[in-house]
Amino acid sequence: MTRKPARKRKNTDPETKLAEIDAEIARVRDREKKRLFQAAEKAGFFRYRFRTGQTLSLFRNAINGLDPRLRSTLVKLEEDAARLRSRIRKTERGDDARRKALLGGFLVAQCRHKPEIHAAIASDIRAFLADHPDPGVAARNLALLKDFLADPASTGEKDQTIAQSSHRDRAHRLILLGAWGLARHRTRADISLLITEELGRFLDQEKNADRHRHLLRDILP
């Protein structure tokens, strides 16, 4: 007896899956509206004049008598969509932080290798951080990058201060530098040129080069 080959599970990306669920929600909602209208018409609802409050009272009384476990297909679909949207937002936030950290790491490497680059951008980075609308956040960000702004070598792994700081703080430093880079790569010719000439080579040295190139595809040449 020959066994049927197993059906391959459809591998759908989250955005496509969400679009499919949203389309199904619209279809089910439209179907339920038609069913409600037809039921109301059969019951003689439209033969009388009801105030909005009276109509709401009719529905609420009917709903209150239902078993809460009998959730509709529409509710289940909306819950699925909400969970998927939350997952997509979380992924997007993670990707945004990762791409900023990658660009920040690139800027650190360039500044350590070419001190003239650091000398050219340090004051602009400081002004960018100080321009945050929340003075408290601006002060914390400036404090996190104080050592780097004074000396790019301070971000090296052998530096005792950095070695003792938390992984979260180290990542935050790179994210801040990357945020500056993304904000300036179109307005500063020196940063645009640096990215054009060096970023690709920097990313190719990483283990996940293809993934990292994808994250920064909008600024790569």
Side-chain angles (χ1 to χ4, degrees):
M1 180 179 177
T2 58
R3 301 179 63 180
K4 292 182 179 180
R7 293 178 64 183
K8 291 184 179 180
R9 182 176 296 179
K10 187 178 179 182
N11 187 16
T12 307
D13 65 271
E15 288 80 6
T16 300
K17 182 62 177 176
L18 180 59
E20 291 174 353
I21 294 175
D22 283 340
E24 182 64 5
I25 287 173
R27 188 190 70 80
V28 172
R29 187 184 296 278
D30 186 59
R31 182 193 69 192
E32 294 305 308
K33 285 180 179 178
K34 290 178 180 177
R35 287 180 61 196
L36 182 61
F37 183 89
Q38 290 169 355
E41 192 169 40
K42 287 181 180 179
F45 180 84
F46 300 111
R47 295 173 60 190
Y48 301 92
R49 184 174 61 187
F50 289 90
R51 294 188 179 91
T52 300
Q54 290 174 311
T55 304
L56 286 173
S57 180
L58 285 173
F59 284 119
R60 285 170 179 162
N61 289 336
I63 290 170
N64 287 337
L66 295 175
D67 186 337
R69 293 172 297 181
L70 300 176
R71 297 184 307 157
S72 70
T73 300
L74 185 60
V75 169
K76 294 175 184 177
L77 286 168
E78 288 174 339
E79 289 176 350
D80 288 344
R83 282 192 293 267
L84 194 51
R85 281 193 178 87
S86 178
R87 198 174 94 195
I88 291 171
R89 285 194 295 268
K90 184 177 180 180
T91 299
E92 288 174 344
R93 289 194 298 269
D95 285 350
D96 183 62
R98 182 58 180 158
R99 76 192 228 101
K100 287 175 181 175
L102 284 168
L103 185 57
F106 166 73
L107 291 171
V108 168
Q110 292 298 310
C111 287
R112 285 173 58 80
H113 181 60
K114 303 172 184 176
E116 66 274 15
I117 293 176
H118 179 267
I121 67 176
S123 61
D124 192 23
I125 294 172
R126 188 178 288 107
F128 174 79
L129 298 176
D131 195 42
H132 194 283
D134 186 326
V137 173
R140 288 192 294 273
N141 291 343
L142 284 165
L144 276 171
L145 281 176
K146 180 180 69 173
D147 293 339
F148 169 80
L149 292 173
D151 177 12
S154 69
T155 57
E157 293 179 359
K158 296 180 181 180
D159 182 83
Q160 191 66 20
T161 302
I162 300 300
Q164 291 176 350
S165 66
S166 69
H167 173 74
R168 182 177 179 180
D169 282 351
R170 292 197 298 273
H172 195 178
R173 288 185 181 91
L174 296 181
I175 289 170
L176 289 172
L177 287 171
W180 174 84
L182 289 173
R184 296 290 193 263
H185 81 280
R186 295 189 187 279
T187 59
R188 288 191 57 134
D190 54 347
I191 297 304
S192 178
L193 182 62
L194 189 66
I195 289 173
T196 299
E197 293 182 344
E198 302 291 345
L199 182 57
R201 284 198 289 267
F202 172 81
L203 295 176
D204 287 341
Q205 297 172 9
E206 300 287 320
K207 290 183 179 179
N208 300 314
D210 290 342
R211 167 65 173 158
H212 295 164
R213 277 182 167 274
H214 179 74
L215 287 173
L216 289 168
R217 64 191 181 281
D218 59 319
I219 66 171
L220 281 168

